[in-house]
Amino acid sequence: MYTNKPFFTLGYTFLKPFFTLGYTFLLMLFFLSPKYINAQSKVQKFYESENYGKCINLSNKNLSKGRDILNSSLYKSLSIIELYNNKKLNEQYSNPISQALNGIKTIEKYSAKHPSDYFHSENRYRIDKVVRFAENEADSFYIQGKIKEAKKILIKLRKIFPENNLYLYKFAKLYNFNSYAVLKSDKNISEKELHKKLYEVIKNSEKYFKSGEKSEFLNDLNLLYSDTACDLETASTILVLYPQKFKQDAEFEKQAIRFQKKYYQIKMLFEINSTRAAGYACGSLLTDPRPPLILDNCLCRTAKKYAAYMQKENFFSHTGNDGSSPWNRAEREGCSANAENLAENSTKNTKTVLQQWLNSEGHCKNIMGFHQKIGIGNSGSYWVQMFR
């Protein structure tokens, strides 16, 4: 069937390509205008020509108008660290590092929402430059004893990079790894999670420290030893993993000996791990060598409290006078256990008590079992081991 199209329809059909072309031309004219190009590139040009002050000022203008946010955030951060000791900059920003990290935070948040965007990967080394500068400043503040300043930087880094356990490790170091103090300062992390993350850093130290981790851990052992509320779990983690990562040297031997003299838990731990490493015949069952155990603060508390409880109440049993089981007692302290050894022996010689357990097939199997953590407690003649 033949129909006539209205004139205006024919006109639109005829002119449509021109309208489309014109619209495209206008868009290109807008986006490629000198003004727009300058707004996009000036911050980088100022930075690369070392006009850091101008770069910061223009970046601030762009950010206030919501324009060129990624470039402005990045080059403002870079310019801040270049002018870090500049008097005018410090008058403008009371905490320049925090300002620089704000820019990195903006970029990281954008990257998380837009993983296909190449901005982050293309500027990885520039972002790293700001982050490394902040890390070094935190370390410098720590060495100078400016704990509050170091803490501010590390808190900021932890918020931006929550998956990077190095910043939690450094944060814990501000408190000599005293888990009670760390958890009091940061109520968003549990004791179990804290030590899991610290273990991960120590276990994979070459990834986090790149170099110098050997001296790092020896220094950390000094901190742990000097703290009156020594975190036995962190101390034992370093003492156990250090020989696996580095050749044992005189300094490490010195540290290991003094920790064993000061803490019976660590002395017995060394003796247990030596036995596990060699394998042992528990009755008629010869067990293969086992990996070393690490002390667990929660299990140590549980074991020590129960040893003191048995001494005070003058009884000896896995079941408390209140009807509690080992699992109940561990749960009260905030952890779990899957085995318990008890011994009654008035000696203070940990090796003698350990041998007493090893001479009993059931106790021996617990010691040689497939556990990862141990808690050790003593009060008077009562000894307790708990395993997880």
Side-chain angles (χ1 to χ4, degrees):
M1 182 180 294
Y2 179 82
T3 57
N4 287 318
K5 289 185 178 181
F7 177 75
F8 72 87
T9 305
L10 290 172
Y12 174 76
T13 303
F14 176 75
L15 295 173
K16 183 177 179 181
F18 296 97
F19 281 123
T20 304
L21 185 62
Y23 179 69
T24 304
F25 176 76
L26 288 173
L27 284 176
M28 290 178 65
L29 185 65
F30 174 74
F31 284 110
L32 296 178
S33 67
K35 184 177 179 181
Y36 193 80
I37 292 172
N38 288 341
Q40 288 283 350
S41 62
K42 258 189 177 178
V43 287
Q44 183 174 355
K45 286 181 178 178
F46 278 144
Y47 173 76
E48 290 175 351
S49 62
E50 300 184 7
N51 287 315
Y52 305 125
K54 288 184 178 180
C55 180
I56 292 171
N57 291 334
L58 179 58
S59 295
N60 284 335
K61 286 180 183 178
N62 288 343
L63 292 170
S64 68
K65 295 178 181 179
R67 183 175 60 191
D68 194 20
I69 293 174
L70 294 179
N71 276 315
S72 297
S73 297
L74 176 61
Y75 289 103
K76 176 184 175 180
S77 297
L78 287 164
S79 295
I80 285 174
I81 66 172
E82 293 292 346
L83 293 176
Y84 183 60
N85 293 315
N86 183 277
K87 185 179 178 181
K88 286 186 178 179
L89 179 74
N90 284 277
E91 289 174 354
Q92 186 176 2
Y93 300 117
S94 59
N95 193 337
I97 292 291
S98 181
Q99 281 291 325
L101 289 176
N102 281 342
I104 303 304
K105 182 180 179 180
T106 298
I107 295 167
E108 292 295 328
K109 284 178 70 175
Y110 177 85
S111 178
K113 291 180 180 179
H114 305 86
S116 60
D117 194 301
Y118 290 108
F119 183 87
H120 192 279
S121 58
E122 288 174 349
N123 291 282
R124 177 76 264 179
Y125 74 97
R126 295 186 179 95
I127 295 167
D128 286 346
K129 181 177 180 179
V130 178
V131 174
R132 282 196 305 271
F133 186 88
E135 287 178 11
N136 291 338
E137 280 304 298
D139 291 341
S140 178
F141 282 138
Y142 172 78
I143 292 169
Q144 296 172 53
K146 297 179 179 179
I147 303 303
K148 286 184 179 179
E149 287 83 351
K151 183 178 176 181
K152 286 178 184 177
I153 296 174
L154 291 172
I155 288 174
K156 197 91 175 181
L157 286 169
R158 285 181 62 199
K159 286 181 179 178
I160 300 171
F161 305 103
E163 301 303 317
N164 191 330
N165 294 331
L166 176 63
Y167 303 131
L168 176 60
Y169 187 91
K170 289 176 177 285
F171 184 78
K173 190 170 183 173
L174 299 178
Y175 298 92
N176 291 350
F177 299 99
N178 184 316
S179 58
Y180 174 78
V182 174
L183 296 172
K184 187 178 179 181
S185 178
D186 185 350
K187 301 187 186 307
N188 294 318
I189 189 169
S190 66
E191 183 179 28
K192 183 178 179 181
E193 187 181 7
L194 169 65
H195 287 103
K196 182 180 179 181
K197 291 176 180 292
L198 294 181
Y199 176 89
E200 198 270 333
V201 172
I202 298 167
K203 179 75 174 176
N204 303 289
S205 58
E206 63 283 352
K207 165 187 164 184
Y208 288 102
F209 296 104
K210 308 300 181 187
S211 62
E213 67 265 34
K214 184 176 178 179
S215 59
E216 181 90 23
F217 291 143
L218 290 173
N219 290 334
D220 294 345
L221 285 173
N222 280 324
L223 291 175
L224 285 155
Y225 185 83
S226 63
D227 192 83
T228 53
C230 176
D231 189 302
L232 293 175
E233 189 163 345
T234 303
S236 66
T237 300
I238 297 176
L239 288 167
V240 168
L241 296 183
Y242 185 97
Q244 297 177 13
K245 304 180 76 64
F246 314 107
K247 185 178 178 181
Q248 291 196 41
D249 49 39
E251 180 59 29
F252 175 78
E253 292 293 341
K254 176 184 172 184
Q255 295 278 16
I257 290 170
R258 68 176 188 160
F259 269 96
Q260 290 180 72
K261 286 182 178 179
K262 189 174 182 179
Y263 301 103
Y264 66 85
Q265 298 96 329
I266 290 180
K267 187 173 189 303
M268 182 174 277
L269 178 72
F270 269 76
E271 293 161 354
I272 289 169
N273 284 340
S274 178
T275 303
R276 286 172 63 87
Y280 200 84
C282 297
S284 59
L285 178 66
L286 179 63
T287 59
D288 294 329
R290 300 280 190 257
L293 299 175
I294 291 171
L295 290 174
D296 182 289
N297 284 347
C298 182
L299 290 179
C300 282
R301 284 197 307 270
T302 308
K304 191 172 183 180
K305 284 185 178 181
Y306 194 58
Y309 179 69
M310 287 192 294
Q311 182 190 25
K312 181 182 177 182
E313 299 295 325
N314 193 27
F315 81 103
F316 184 72
S317 171
H318 287 288
T319 303
N321 285 342
D322 58 355
S324 65
S325 69
W327 338 124
N328 298 145
R329 295 189 288 271
E331 190 175 354
R332 286 175 193 167
E333 294 298 321
C335 52
S336 61
N338 51 33
E340 180 182 73
N341 282 346
L342 302 181
E344 192 172 1
N345 195 316
S346 59
T347 183
K348 292 299 178 185
N349 189 315
T350 55
K351 199 167 188 177
T352 300
V353 179
L354 177 60
Q355 192 59 53
Q356 182 179 334
W357 274 319
L358 290 172
N359 290 340
S360 166
E361 184 173 346
H363 295 89
C364 179
K365 286 179 179 177
N366 280 343
I367 292 169
M368 297 300 296
F370 292 99
H371 310 294
Q372 295 179 323
K373 298 288 187 76
I374 183 173
I376 303 168
N378 167 244
S379 182
S381 60
Y382 294 95
W383 292 80
V384 180
Q385 289 180 330
M386 300 193 79
F387 301 88
R388 175 168 65 83

